[in-house]
Amino acid sequence: MTVLSTTAVPDHVRGALTRWMIEPAPGLYVGTLSARVRNELWRVVSASIGNGAAVLIHPEANEQGYVLRTAGERRRIPVDFDGLTLVAFRPEEYVEAADPPF
């Protein structure tokens, strides 16, 4: 099973994702994909992320049983710690400085 969470992605990306996965909640996509389709969808999402963000979780033969990939600038960042993926937090000041003013 593959899980993909998105924030503020273009409509054409959302359309591409719903061709292959279901969207049980806004911006949350779930499906069973081949590695080829999963990698192609991730390439499209990460290339067109803009000011948005995305997180992809899919099965992998490792200690945790999954891999976590991210695209876009957000406060939470995955960190490899001796083969385990942990999530670290950037200081809020960093995230506020990285966000564009509105």
Side-chain angles (χ1 to χ4, degrees):
M1 178 181 294
T2 300
V3 178
L4 179 62
S5 175
T6 62
T7 305
V9 295
D11 287 340
H12 74 276
V13 173
R14 294 183 73 192
L17 290 171
T18 57
R19 288 185 191 110
W20 296 95
M21 306 171 88
I22 64 168
E23 188 178 10
L28 180 66
Y29 302 89
V30 180
T32 303
L33 309 171
S34 68
R36 183 176 183 178
V37 170
R38 180 189 65 228
N39 291 337
E40 184 62 22
L41 284 175
W42 182 247
R43 186 188 66 73
V44 169
V45 169
S46 59
S48 59
I49 202 72
N51 289 332
V55 177
L56 174 70
I57 302 170
H58 64 86
E60 189 70 30
N62 61 20
E63 289 294 320
Q64 289 176 300
Y66 63 87
V67 169
L68 182 115
R69 297 187 203 176
T70 62
E73 288 291 322
R74 292 295 176 242
R75 187 167 180 212
R76 297 171 191 243
I77 54 171
V79 178
D80 185 295
F81 185 77
D82 290 337
L84 295 177
T85 301
L86 303 177
V87 177
F89 286 86
R90 292 185 176 134
E92 281 191 45
E93 301 83 36
Y94 176 83
V95 174
E96 290 171 2
D99 286 340
F102 293 102

